Amino acid sequence: MPIGILVDTTKCTGCRGCQVACKQWNLLPGVQTKYSPTLTNPIETNAYTFNHVEFFEIEEAGKLHFVSVHKRCFHCSSPACVSVCPVGALQKLENGAVVWEEGRCIGCRYCQNACPFDIPKFTWYDQEGKSDPWPKIQKCTFCWDRVKDGMIPACAKTCPPDAIEFGERADLIALAHSRISANPTRYNSHIYGEFEAGGTSVVYINAVEPEKLGFPEVEEEFYPEFTHEFLSKIPFEVATLAAVLGGIYAFRVSRTAKNGTAAKH
């Protein structure tokens, strides 16, 4: 069964424990940040920050209060990023996780442009801040290496108020509906991610409309269907570019193999 995560933003305290746990498990370096008047830091996810907490000022009944929201890759049921990758660097696993293979990525950024949630992030630098001759994209991997060993994702494991819950997607959708039905005055009725982009593995329940928390309005149709329709209209020159990018990847693999052979001798 596909795995999933339910984020209940009414429980989130904004502690950023999910950010810290993610960086620790994935050995991600710190990044330079800028002052944010909304307390969100960093302002958005990046190549070395796979998830973060966004803060929003919400006015209700004449009162202003903060709402904190854990944001990360949605791991779409039918991911547009996977459908446009010309070298198969992005893959969707049987359990629902959308992962990437660094050695295959050629830095074309098609995935970044195709994603309706603006998730894959591009970098020219390695983890030590040095220029990398082979740029790449990076994003949340749903902690596939933890999940395969029977553990839960680091963000869900560390969340003190259990605002991030991990399990089978179908069970989490049922839980979300149950909470909304039991507390209609606490929750907005929209389960974000249940149908967006054809359904996502990460879903949210909130006290207010999703758009007030920065969630984009996304079609319910599978995005690869839009992608394929779009790609069918692209001129031949762009298809040629894809072939060139594939050649670059093949050259890179060949070069790496030769260097490895030379090192052995």
Side-chain angles (χ1 to χ4, degrees):
M1 294 289 290
I3 57 175
I5 275 182
L6 170 63
V7 181
D8 186 338
T9 63
T10 69
K11 291 187 174 186
C12 181
T13 61
C15 71
R16 297 191 181 95
C18 53
Q19 289 183 216
V20 176
C22 179
K23 280 187 175 287
Q24 287 179 334
W25 179 257
N26 292 290
L27 302 178
L28 299 171
V31 296
Q32 185 174 0
T33 60
K34 297 180 180 179
Y35 170 75
S36 168
T38 66
L39 302 181
T40 301
N41 188 5
I43 295 178
E44 62 179 2
T45 58
N46 54 59
Y48 298 115
T49 305
F50 293 169
N51 72 62
H52 76 144
V53 176
E54 286 191 41
F55 292 83
F56 297 88
E57 292 182 351
I58 303 296
E59 183 178 353
E60 291 183 313
K63 295 182 179 180
L64 190 67
H65 60 96
F66 272 112
V67 175
S68 47
V69 185
H70 164 83
K71 295 281 186 76
R72 39 86 70 70
C73 176
F74 283 80
H75 296 274
C76 301
S77 298
S78 185
C81 59
V82 173
S83 73
V84 300
C85 182
V87 293
L90 283 152
Q91 305 168 27
K92 184 172 179 63
L93 304 183
E94 290 185 3
N95 65 9
V98 178
V99 300
W100 47 269
E101 187 175 340
E102 182 176 320
R104 283 179 173 266
C105 181
I106 56 177
C108 68
R109 287 181 274 187
Y110 284 179
C111 58
Q112 191 176 41
N113 293 326
C115 178
F117 304 106
D118 190 31
I119 291 298
K121 293 298 187 289
F122 183 75
T123 181
W124 283 96
Y125 303 97
D126 62 19
Q127 294 194 3
E128 296 179 354
K130 299 178 181 179
S131 180
D132 191 332
W134 298 109
K136 56 185 177 295
I137 63 96
Q138 298 195 140
K139 71 171 193 68
C140 162
T141 65
F142 222 139
C143 280
W144 69 269
D145 47 349
R146 290 176 60 90
V147 174
K148 73 179 180 64
D149 289 332
M151 297 186 288
I152 67 175
C155 58
K157 176 67 174 179
T158 198
C159 184
D162 292 329
I164 305 171
E165 296 195 44
F166 174 77
E168 293 187 0
R169 183 181 187 273
D171 294 339
L172 294 174
I173 292 293
L175 175 60
H177 280 288
S178 175
R179 287 186 184 177
I180 292 172
S181 298
N183 298 278
T185 59
R186 177 174 182 174
Y187 294 102
N188 178 267
S189 61
H190 187 165
I191 301 174
Y192 192 84
E194 182 177 12
F195 301 113
E196 276 76 11
T200 61
S201 296
V202 179
V203 297
Y204 290 78
I205 52 176
N206 315 287
V208 298
E209 296 84 352
E211 57 267 23
K212 290 185 178 181
L213 302 178
F215 291 106
E217 184 176 346
V218 175
E219 297 286 346
E220 293 186 359
E221 188 174 355
F222 288 125
Y223 261 69
E225 294 185 19
F226 290 112
T227 305
H228 293 152
E229 180 181 356
F230 171 73
L231 289 177
S232 67
K233 300 176 181 178
I234 292 180
F236 173 76
E237 289 80 358
V238 177
T240 302
L241 175 61
V244 171
L245 292 174
I248 292 174
Y249 167 66
F251 170 75
R252 178 183 179 184
V253 171
S254 175
R255 181 180 176 184
T256 301
K258 288 180 180 179
N259 289 340
T261 301
K264 292 180 181 179
H265 292 290

